[in-house]
Amino acid sequence: MTFEKDFKEALSFLPDKEKDKLILRLLKKDKILAKRLYFEMVSSTSLEDKRSQMEESIKERTKLFGKEFYSVGYLNMDIRFLSGDITEHVKITKDKFGEVSLNLLLLKEVLKHNNSHIIKATPLKFKKIGVALIARAYKILVLINKLEQDYLLELEENLEELGRLIGENPPLLKMAIFCGLDVNWFIRVEIPENISDIYKHVRAEGYLSAKNY
């Protein structure tokens, strides 16, 4: 939404007390904005500390997904909920590196603790979660290509492990190949410069749709 110049000027002439009331009313309706302003203006917690807290949460919760596994359908929902928490963290902290590292950690930890469950799933039940996992893998690669190359050193270990975990999951590896996702991009940390174009093409062709399996 854009605001006209006259409206902006009118707001600037409002008394300070009136501005404060309006801001507080708006913040009550926008919890993400409220949390972001609190983080930037009041909180003594650093960005690195917030990211570390998210990392621990991801490790604990994905491990729990494996211990209390019920079905791949519920696992897929759990992943979406945890992914939502990462999105909220990024919106609050503007943590661009965390957007990549945390999503990478999520995918790696999910497969680490749930590969055996996913492998045992029937083809019909595997379709949705398989497509979702491959799509997430693609998005991670796209996000990495937007970062400065120096960050790759911090991501190498998890990238290599993710590549191995996909390779150890036959149905997921088969789907990755079908979708043009090369696990060697992860294992060798060699991401194509045109990964965004590859991802767009794969989506446009409908490969990342469970209906095509």
Side-chain angles (χ1 to χ4, degrees):
M1 182 178 181
T2 56
F3 300 103
E4 294 180 2
K5 184 179 179 180
D6 291 345
F7 179 59
K8 292 179 180 179
E9 289 180 356
L11 286 175
S12 69
F13 287 114
L14 282 174
D16 290 340
K17 287 186 177 180
E18 188 65 24
K19 285 183 184 178
D20 292 342
K21 288 180 181 178
L22 287 172
I23 290 171
L24 289 173
R25 285 176 63 185
L26 290 170
L27 291 178
K28 285 180 180 179
K29 295 182 178 180
D30 192 335
K31 293 182 180 180
I32 296 296
L33 178 59
K35 289 179 180 180
R36 180 162 67 82
L37 291 177
Y38 181 86
F39 173 71
E40 293 177 352
M41 302 170 66
V42 180
S43 177
S44 59
T45 306
S46 69
L47 173 60
E48 289 72 21
D49 287 338
K50 292 282 284 184
R51 189 188 301 146
S52 294
Q53 290 170 8
M54 276 301 305
E55 288 172 355
E56 289 305 311
S57 176
I58 290 168
K59 289 177 182 178
E60 290 174 7
R61 290 166 68 181
T62 50
K63 189 174 182 179
L64 196 62
F65 295 166
K67 284 185 177 180
E68 299 182 353
F69 179 82
Y70 180 73
S71 72
V72 290
Y74 277 96
L75 175 61
N76 206 12
M77 285 193 293
D78 289 334
I79 294 170
R80 286 201 296 270
F81 285 133
L82 193 42
S83 179
D85 290 344
I86 295 174
T87 299
E88 181 175 311
H89 163 82
V90 174
K91 287 181 178 178
I92 292 169
T93 63
K94 299 180 181 179
D95 186 6
K96 291 299 181 183
F97 176 71
E99 183 178 15
V100 180
S101 66
L102 294 173
N103 277 293
L104 174 58
L105 179 66
L106 169 60
L107 192 52
K108 185 206 77 173
E109 291 292 309
V110 164
L111 293 181
K112 177 181 175 181
H113 297 293
N114 294 277
N115 243 353
S116 60
H117 300 306
I118 296 171
I119 291 171
K120 293 175 184 176
T122 63
L124 185 63
K125 292 183 178 180
F126 167 77
K127 285 193 298 184
K128 285 187 178 180
I129 193 168
V131 167
L133 294 173
I134 296 301
R136 288 180 185 279
Y138 261 119
K139 288 177 183 178
I140 288 168
L141 294 177
V142 171
L143 287 172
I144 290 175
N145 253 22
K146 294 178 181 179
L147 293 175
E148 294 180 12
Q149 288 300 305
D150 293 344
Y151 284 117
L152 266 180
L153 290 173
E154 298 181 54
L155 301 171
E156 277 187 4
E157 186 177 340
N158 281 341
L159 280 169
E160 291 171 2
E161 188 171 352
L162 176 58
R164 288 195 298 271
L165 286 166
I166 294 174
E168 292 168 2
N169 187 321
L172 190 60
L173 178 59
K174 183 179 179 180
M175 182 175 282
I177 294 170
F178 181 77
C179 294
L181 183 72
D182 190 342
V183 294
N184 288 311
W185 294 341
F186 297 93
I187 296 171
R188 298 173 184 168
V189 194
E190 295 176 352
I191 304 169
E193 292 183 4
N194 66 332
I195 188 63
S196 293
D197 293 331
I198 294 173
Y199 177 53
K200 287 177 183 177
H201 172 74
V202 168
R203 288 185 63 190
E205 292 297 315
Y207 290 115
L208 297 178
S209 172
K211 294 179 181 178
N212 290 328
Y213 296 90

